Amino acid sequence: MKKNILIIALLIIPVFANSQDTISLKDRNINKSTSKHNNRISISIGKSIAGEEVINNFNNSIDRMGYGINFNALYSYQFSKFLGFEVKGYHNTNKFRGKSYNIILGSTISSQLSNNNVKYNSYGFLAGPKLSVQLLDGFSIDGCILLGYANWIKPATTFTIISGTSNLKWIKMDKISSNSIVYNFGLGFSYAFFESWDLFTKCDFITGWFRFNENILTMNDGSIMYLQKGSQKYGEFNISVGLGFKL
């Protein structure tokens, strides 16, 4: 009897040891698989909404910015489970609402004006820390605070006189642009549907102070008018959805 028990024990011990080695190897493979996905590239597209300070500029007889489209290209590196670093390039196009200009210029020449449809353009490049917290299996919440540099362009615009006492037919406003340091505060959710792929949605707020030169207005009779613009704080909420790939 003792001899049989000894034989069974000798057979079980190697099997148990081999199973422990297999589990350990699987753990190492899992860790290795996790660690190799530190890099992530992604793209997203969505809607751009003017921040409150841009809307309030209308009350100060300055222009307004309407809704638009936002495009982002991102790269991130994960230092640990929670902390990472993100680099972002973005492009926004937003509708130019020239109602305030129509009022200002119209009162100057005692006429009513309308403007052609043009869009603001802004480009930026930012970088900064990123935090990630896993909520459920495959789901996580991400936040970032980025700092960078951006260019803001207000396009050339033509204002047409539609009624009034003026002999003018149109007024053209030259394109102006400005550069500034900008800040980006972002919060989003992501879902990993494959080992290397994930879907995400994100809301970013980008803001900065932009100093513009004076607006040059040229009338169809050759006369020129100058309109001081000065510094303005611009901000945008960008709500986007995108696809990410882990390298």
Side-chain angles (χ1 to χ4, degrees):
M1 182 68 178
K2 290 182 180 179
K3 184 177 179 181
N4 292 336
I5 293 174
L6 180 60
I7 292 172
I8 293 171
L10 290 173
L11 291 173
I12 291 175
I13 289 173
V15 172
F16 178 77
N18 184 62
S19 66
Q20 290 296 102
D21 290 341
T22 303
I23 293 172
S24 178
L25 181 60
K26 287 182 179 179
D27 289 340
R28 286 198 298 271
N29 288 336
I30 290 172
N31 292 333
K32 184 178 179 181
S33 176
T34 303
S35 64
K36 75 178 181 179
H37 291 306
N38 290 334
N39 298 280
R40 177 175 177 262
I41 56 174
S42 55
I43 58 173
S44 65
I45 190 170
K47 193 163 191 175
S48 176
I49 305 170
E52 182 180 359
E53 64 271 20
V54 183
I55 295 174
N56 287 341
N57 280 339
F58 175 68
N59 299 324
N60 299 324
S61 296
I62 308 176
D63 50 63
R64 289 186 69 181
M65 183 176 66
Y67 294 117
I69 297 175
N70 165 246
F71 176 80
N72 305 285
L74 306 105
Y75 165 79
S76 63
Y77 181 84
Q78 207 68 24
F79 296 111
S80 65
K81 186 177 180 180
F82 301 105
L83 181 62
F85 183 78
E86 183 169 286
V87 178
K88 171 182 177 177
Y90 77 92
H91 175 215
N92 279 13
T93 60
N94 294 79
K95 183 178 179 181
F96 169 69
R97 294 178 175 176
K99 185 177 179 180
S100 57
Y101 277 101
N102 292 334
I103 294 173
I104 296 170
L105 296 175
S107 63
T108 303
I109 61 176
S110 301
S111 300
Q112 288 187 335
L113 294 83
S114 66
N115 62 279
N116 61 330
N117 294 321
V118 292
K119 297 181 183 295
Y120 285 97
N121 280 278
S122 60
Y123 308 83
F125 187 78
L126 307 96
K130 172 188 174 184
L131 295 175
S132 301
V133 178
Q134 187 166 342
L135 302 176
L136 299 170
D137 186 24
F139 286 92
S140 64
I141 183 171
D142 306 300
C144 66
I145 301 176
L146 311 178
L147 175 67
Y149 201 68
N151 175 254
W152 201 292
I153 302 170
K154 188 166 72 172
T157 311
T158 300
F159 299 89
T160 304
I161 288 82
I162 55 177
S163 65
T165 59
S166 175
N167 294 322
L168 296 172
K169 295 181 179 180
W170 50 260
I171 301 172
K172 289 185 177 180
M173 182 175 66
D174 289 351
K175 180 180 78 173
I176 57 174
S177 65
S178 178
N179 301 313
S180 174
I181 293 174
V182 292
Y183 305 90
N184 184 120
F185 305 95
L187 185 66
F189 295 91
S190 63
Y191 173 67
F193 60 94
F194 283 120
E195 182 182 4
S196 299
W197 294 92
D198 62 75
L199 289 170
F200 66 93
T201 180
K202 195 174 182 183
C203 178
D204 291 286
F205 178 63
I206 301 176
T207 184
W209 280 94
F210 291 82
R211 181 173 180 80
F212 293 89
N213 295 322
E214 57 190 2
N215 284 323
I216 302 175
L217 306 171
T218 305
M219 289 65 164
N220 64 281
D221 63 0
S223 57
I224 296 176
M225 181 189 302
Y226 297 93
L227 185 63
Q228 296 294 331
K229 187 171 178 64
S231 297
Q232 288 182 230
K233 185 179 182 181
Y234 280 90
E236 295 175 290
F237 288 98
N238 294 323
I239 303 172
S240 60
V241 294
L243 184 67
F245 179 71
K246 299 171 185 176
L247 303 174

